[in-house]
């Protein structure tokens, strides 16, 4: 027998995964073994795709091995080249997907109120070299996809979205997955909806979907006919089983996230220097991240001091997405001239702290985190 630790390593982490419907998962895994079909577009992957399409109301939702590969496939299938405008306030994978394809990322600043890409800042950066806009629905809140669609149409640009955080979110009554030329989800274990590792490219464009399907399977059209350059972007059956088990609990998880978010807000919004994001009526967020901004002057302590206090008490809050993609390699070396022109992004990188949430936390855990934050703030203001 293997001797592995059986105790959980603490649930007060940002990113604790949801186990989904475990009985269904186990049943599906038995089926995988019975059929001996482990990967290569098996029954469960096909079933997951059907269910995802139905849930999102989209024509195609192609499962892939992770969100990063999904972004790379999308960038390549859209033939992005030259320059593409993208936020720097995002996970590195968003920008890596462009650079990996030899596309120059041009960083636009974000709106400090929403944390999402600012359309006015994007418009100012459009040049004859621009071929596309890569928006990010940060924290699972839609990033004004209607405005970006108009902007892309006006300037003849390709528009795609990194929807890594936004599964289950909607804008103006339409689910994320239906905007731009395509939208890419991450189904990583830390995400609202996950497949352990995984992702999907959602699109209503049949031609684009056909080339992504070929590309994610080495370019194979038939059993031994390869029609163009591809990679291995396939999702295995075990991951699809997790996805199907998670789809069963998605509404309950959304309700839990919403409840935790509201509890945090009720307990903490009264403290000077702590700000929560406000949500618009046209947006349906999934609340998978509880994001606060710590204004050092008004709060009496810095974001980093608050984070250190929480870590010392076993609460693993995270300062996503510090220090911003413009300040990490290879971008800070390659694009020095872009470093100091993102004041709102830099401000958020100094102030934002993400708090633990999700199904691993009880209401009392959220209370414990709030008490610890309150204690740190009160101590400093005494
Ligand atoms: N675009 C955006 C905007 C993204 O946020 C991401 C991924 C992508 C694209 C790329 O999608 P993928 O290729 O990953 O599908 C984590 C995730 O690894 C990453 O997927 C995610 N974004 C990012 C926001 O979070 P780290 O570096 O923070 O991971 P790590 O290992 O520090 O884990 C975070 C916390 O979660 C820890 O406190 C431990 C906890 N955890 C994690 C795992 C994996 C668990 O408790 N159990 C687990 O199984 O990036």
């Amino acid at each position: 027998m293997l001797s592995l630790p059986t105790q959980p390593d603490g649930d007060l982490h940002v990113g604790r995964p949801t186990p989904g419907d475990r009985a269904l998962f186990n049943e599906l895994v038995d089926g995988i073994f019975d059929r001996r079909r482990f990967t290569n577009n098996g029954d469960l992957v096909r079933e997951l795709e059907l269910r995802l399409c139905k849930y999102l109301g989209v024509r195609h939702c192609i499962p892939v091995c992770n969100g990063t590969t999904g972004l790379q496939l999308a960038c390549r299938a859209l033939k992005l080249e030259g320059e593409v405008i993208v936020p720097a306030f995002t996970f590195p994978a968003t920008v890596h997907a462009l650079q990996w394809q030899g596309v120059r990322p041009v960083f636009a600043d974000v709106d400090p109120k929403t944390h999402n890409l600012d359309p006015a800042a994007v418009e100012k950066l459009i040049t004859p070299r621009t071929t596309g806009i890569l928006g990010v629905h940060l924290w699972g809140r839609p990033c004004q996809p209607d405005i970006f669609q108009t902007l892309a149409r006006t300037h003849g640009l390709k528009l795609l979205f990194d929807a890594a955080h936004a599964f289950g979110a909607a804008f103006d009554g339409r689910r994320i997955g239906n905007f731009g030329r395509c939208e890419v989800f991450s189904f990583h274990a830390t995400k609202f909806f996950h497949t352990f590792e995984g992702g999907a490219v959602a699109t209503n464009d049949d031609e684009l979907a056909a080339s992504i399907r070929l590309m994610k399977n080495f370019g194979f059209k038939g059993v031994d006919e390869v029609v163009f350059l591809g990679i291995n972007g396939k999702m295995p059956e075990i991951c699809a089983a997790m996805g199907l088990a998670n789809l069963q609990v998605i509404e309950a998880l959304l309700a839990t996230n919403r409840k935790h978010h509201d509890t945090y807000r009720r307990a903490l919004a009264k403290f000077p220097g702590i700000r929560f994001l406000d949500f618009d009526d046209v947006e349906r967020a999934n609340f998978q991240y509880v994001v606060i901004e710590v204004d050092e002057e008004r709060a009496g302590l810095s974001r980093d001091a608050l984070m250190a206090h929480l870590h010392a008490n076993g609460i693993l809050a995270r300062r996503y997405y510090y220090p911003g993609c413009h300040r990490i390699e290879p971008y800070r070396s390659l694009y020095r001239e872009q470093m100091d022109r993102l004041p709102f992004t830099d401000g958020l990188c100094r102030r934002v702290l993400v708090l633990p949430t999700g199904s691993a936390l009880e209401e009392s855990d959220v209370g414990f985190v709030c008490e610890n934050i309150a204690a740190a703030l009160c101590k400093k203001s005494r």
Side-chain angles (χ1 to χ4, degrees):
M1 260 314 252
L2 293 176
S3 86
L4 295 169
T6 49
Q7 289 303 311
D9 55 1
D11 278 335
L12 295 180
H13 289 240
V14 166
R16 288 300 267 169
T18 304
D21 181 333
R22 253 164 113 158
L24 175 61
F25 175 74
N26 289 336
E27 195 187 305
L28 293 172
V29 171
D30 281 342
I32 294 174
F33 283 103
D34 292 344
R35 290 189 297 280
R36 293 196 191 220
R37 166 61 79 165
F38 295 161
T39 187
N40 287 10
N41 209 25
D43 293 331
L44 298 188
V45 166
R46 291 202 307 276
E47 180 64 23
L48 181 65
E49 176 167 0
L50 285 178
R51 300 235 187 154
L52 293 175
C53 286
K54 195 157 168 235
Y55 180 81
L56 300 172
V58 70
R59 286 177 66 78
H60 307 274
C61 189
I62 305 160
V64 290
C65 56
N66 56 58
T68 307
T69 305
L71 282 167
Q72 290 172 357
L73 287 164
C75 292
R76 199 166 184 110
L78 283 170
K79 301 192 173 69
L80 293 178
E81 54 188 10
E83 296 181 352
V84 169
I85 302 172
V86 64
F89 193 53
T90 181
F91 193 64
T94 316
V95 185
H96 286 346
L98 295 172
Q99 187 69 32
W100 202 264
Q101 301 300 329
V103 173
R104 178 188 170 94
V106 172
F107 297 121
D109 215 346
V110 291
D111 178 339
K113 277 209 225 69
T114 64
H115 297 191
N116 272 331
L117 202 52
D118 174 6
V122 169
E123 189 156 26
K124 283 196 197 123
L125 292 168
I126 297 172
T127 71
R129 293 181 298 281
T130 312
T131 61
I133 301 169
L134 171 46
V136 180
H137 304 300
L138 203 73
W139 315 131
R141 77 178 306 171
C143 70
Q144 298 179 279
D146 54 340
I147 298 185
F148 283 110
Q149 286 187 159
T150 308
L151 199 60
R153 210 175 310 118
T154 309
H155 293 273
L157 301 176
K158 290 160 183 165
L159 174 67
L160 74 162
F161 293 100
D162 177 337
H165 300 177
F167 190 80
F171 180 82
D172 208 7
R174 278 174 90 198
R175 285 220 199 263
I176 295 301
N178 286 279
F179 296 94
R181 294 287 301 279
C182 64
E183 306 208 64
V184 181
F185 295 106
S186 164
F187 298 155
H188 181 261
T190 54
K191 295 293 183 282
F192 169 59
F193 168 77
H194 77 88
T195 60
F196 296 134
E197 285 273 6
V201 185
T203 181
N204 286 309
D205 179 330
D206 294 347
E207 220 174 292
L208 187 66
S211 53
I212 289 173
R213 282 183 207 286
L214 287 170
M215 273 185 189
K216 71 154 192 173
N217 188 27
F218 315 99
F220 270 111
K221 193 172 172 199
V223 177
D224 42 23
E225 190 191 359
V226 176
V227 289
F228 54 59
L229 181 67
I231 54 169
N232 182 353
K234 291 171 279 123
M235 176 185 278
E237 286 290 271
I238 188 107
C239 293
M242 189 72 234
L244 291 165
N246 267 327
L247 271 182
Q248 294 295 108
V249 299
I250 201 160
E251 290 307 322
L253 180 58
L254 183 63
T256 302
N257 283 351
R258 182 77 219 229
K259 189 174 70 173
H260 289 343
H261 184 271
D262 292 349
T263 306
Y264 272 121
R265 204 175 174 121
R266 266 197 312 277
L268 299 175
K270 58 181 180 259
F271 288 97
I274 300 293
R275 185 179 100 83
F276 281 77
L277 284 174
D278 290 317
F279 291 94
D280 205 293
D281 281 349
V282 291
E283 301 165 3
R284 181 194 196 250
N286 58 25
F287 297 96
Q288 83 169 299
Y289 293 101
V290 174
V291 181
I292 58 171
E293 282 179 50
V294 185
D295 175 340
E296 180 168 0
E297 230 164 77
R298 297 184 61 225
L301 86 171
S302 67
R303 182 271 314 268
D304 288 352
L306 178 58
M307 187 177 75
H309 170 87
L310 294 177
H311 284 195
N313 287 283
I315 299 164
L316 289 194
R318 295 290 293 259
R319 51 182 184 178
Y320 288 142
Y321 286 102
Y322 177 85
C325 290
H326 58 315
R327 297 190 183 280
I328 59 169
E329 294 296 352
Y331 312 107
R332 68 175 172 208
S333 297
L334 285 176
Y335 311 119
R336 252 170 220 290
E337 73 289 355
Q338 297 202 44
M339 273 252 263
D340 294 316
R341 63 180 202 201
L342 304 173
F344 294 125
T345 297
D346 285 330
L348 292 178
C349 289
R350 275 193 303 274
R351 293 195 303 275
V352 164
L353 190 64
V354 178
L355 304 176
T357 188
S359 65
L361 274 77
E362 300 290 339
E363 195 69 358
S364 56
D365 296 320
V366 176
F368 177 74
V369 179
C370 292
E371 280 162 25
N372 272 274
I373 294 175
L377 292 169
C378 292
K379 200 158 100 193
K380 277 291 164 182
S381 59
R382 270 207 297 268

